[in-house]
Amino acid sequence: NPYKNIMTNIDTMNLKTDWTTVREIYAEGLSTGLAAFMSKPPSRADWDAAHLTFGRLVARQNEAVLGWAALSPVAEREGPPESLRLAQGKGIGAGLLEGLIAASEAEAYWTLQAQIMAENHTSRALHSKCGLREIGIRDRLGHLGGVWHDVVLLERRSERTGGPGLPTHSCD
């Protein structure tokens, strides 16, 4: 396995140069049927319009993009941080999610939300590990492949930007 002892850097996404690989990783995630309620990735322009200008991250090994994550202004139906299947389980998703948390706090956001298909236990566990807590289930929210899916709503409140007493957690 070439990703066994993976050393990655979390970096700001350059949409112009990284989009081809980001789109491929996006498509791979969509092929699982657990990432989002769509069958193909959006165009670069549509993706760009749907995401904030900060908090667009990639995980790199040297120059190769192994995963990505991005913030959108509201809890979209987009899935969790995506990484190449061969690289999964190597801390890339946690690194990307920690990067999103840091980026949101740098911009004074105090609440992060995620919506994840109930069947996506791996993503739910990752988000929980990084301090997002499950706050509810939205029944039959999305339809994909002839099947209705429940979506779990997760939330993280920043103690740094939201004040004392709010829950905070690292991915350790």
Side-chain angles (χ1 to χ4, degrees):
N1 182 348
Y3 298 99
K4 184 176 180 188
N5 294 311
I6 207 158
M7 295 291 292
T8 60
N9 294 315
I10 305 301
D11 192 13
T12 300
M13 181 188 297
N14 179 327
L15 195 55
K16 189 177 268 188
T17 59
D18 294 332
W19 176 249
T20 300
T21 306
V22 166
R23 188 179 191 289
E24 289 170 3
I25 295 168
Y26 202 140
E28 184 177 286
L30 292 175
S31 74
T32 69
L34 296 174
F37 296 113
M38 60 181 71
S39 58
K40 64 180 185 173
S43 69
R44 184 172 84 176
D46 287 346
W47 186 95
D48 187 36
H51 291 84
L52 298 172
T53 57
F54 64 92
R56 297 173 175 204
L57 306 174
V58 292
R60 294 188 197 279
Q61 182 180 36
N62 300 318
E63 294 301 313
V65 173
L66 301 180
W68 67 272
L71 295 172
S72 56
V74 294
E76 297 287 332
R77 290 187 186 166
E78 190 163 302
E82 294 284 353
S83 62
L84 292 170
R85 282 192 202 135
L86 288 174
Q88 289 178 351
K90 307 300 179 195
I92 292 172
L96 288 166
L97 195 47
E98 281 287 333
L100 291 180
I101 291 167
S104 68
E105 289 181 336
E107 295 291 324
Y109 283 74
W110 70 288
T111 301
L112 287 180
Q113 292 183 340
Q115 295 186 73
I116 301 171
M117 286 186 200
E119 303 91 344
N120 194 340
H121 301 289
T122 302
S123 181
R124 289 170 63 185
L126 170 66
H127 283 73
S128 178
K129 177 182 173 183
C130 291
L132 281 85
R133 61 188 181 90
E134 294 186 4
I135 60 171
I137 296 177
R138 301 178 77 186
D139 295 332
R140 297 171 41 104
L141 182 64
H143 192 263
L144 183 67
V147 177
W148 284 99
H149 296 272
D150 295 346
V151 172
V152 178
L153 181 61
L154 298 97
E155 180 178 85
R156 180 188 184 278
R157 299 276 173 96
S158 171
E159 187 173 287
R160 181 173 158 234
T161 60
L166 292 173
T168 186
H169 191 82
S170 71
C171 292
D172 298 331

